[in-house]
């Protein structure tokens, strides 16, 4: 028996977050698995793994770090981006992505204030899970 490979959920999520109409004015297209420089508002996506209960279903989890800039407005930028991201991810539900379909979205952790240890740069973290199938 052979199964169709699961879609690349990480790339699908990055593409979705970068293009979402309510998010792009806040992050300016700066969405990646790496922290974007210069220190402007951006989204950092970290894949955390997750269960794969069946060969045709996976529920990867992601940490979404909403970074503010280094200006005095950095904390407000980080919070605004995090709140917008948590609302926008539900637009993924039921959508087709490259190589598959999104069947579920869940917020696992919402709004953890977590400024960078080394620089103090404003950061808010939220964890999400999406269920994908080919």
């Amino acid at each position: 028996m052979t199964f169709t490979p699961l879609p690349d959920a990480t790339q699908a999520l990055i593409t979705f977050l970068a293009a979402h109409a309510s998010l792009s004015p806040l992050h300016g297209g700066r969405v990646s698995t790496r922290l974007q420089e210069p220190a402007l508002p951006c989204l950092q996506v970290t894949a955390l793994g997750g269960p794969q209960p069946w060969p045709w279903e996976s529920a990867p989890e992601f940490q979404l770090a909403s970074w503010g800039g280094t200006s005095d407005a950095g904390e407000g930028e980080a919070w605004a981006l995090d709140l917008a991201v948590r609302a926008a991810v539900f637009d993924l539900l039921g959508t087709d992505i490259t190589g598959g379909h999104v069947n579920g979205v869940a917020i696992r952790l919402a709004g953890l204030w977590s400024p960078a240890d080394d620089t103090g740069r404003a950061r808010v973290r939220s964890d999400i899970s999406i269920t994908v199938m080919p």
Side-chain angles (χ1 to χ4, degrees):
M1 182 180 288
T2 60
F3 294 98
T4 303
L6 290 163
D8 182 347
T10 303
Q11 188 55 55
L13 181 60
I14 290 169
T15 300
F16 169 82
L17 294 170
H20 197 280
S22 65
L23 299 177
S24 55
L26 300 174
H27 59 53
R30 294 175 294 275
V31 180
S32 178
T33 57
R34 298 183 203 154
L35 180 58
Q36 300 289 294
E37 295 297 337
L40 297 169
C42 65
L43 274 175
Q44 183 179 11
V45 177
T46 303
L48 301 174
Q52 183 178 336
W54 301 102
W56 57 84
E57 180 182 77
S58 179
E61 297 190 12
F62 299 92
Q63 179 182 87
L64 304 178
S66 297
W67 290 87
T70 54
S71 66
D72 289 343
E75 184 174 346
E77 292 167 341
W79 278 110
L81 185 53
D82 177 73
L83 290 167
V85 165
R86 285 190 273 138
V89 294
F90 287 98
D91 288 344
L92 267 171
L93 187 59
T95 63
D96 290 328
I97 57 175
T98 302
H101 190 76
V102 177
N103 286 358
V105 175
I107 306 270
R108 301 285 188 213
L109 173 71
L112 174 65
W113 172 243
S114 178
D117 293 332
D118 55 346
T119 64
R121 184 174 169 190
R123 172 179 57 190
V124 179
R125 294 178 174 174
S126 289
D127 294 354
I128 69 162
S129 173
I130 61 175
T131 303
V132 296
M133 300 175 113

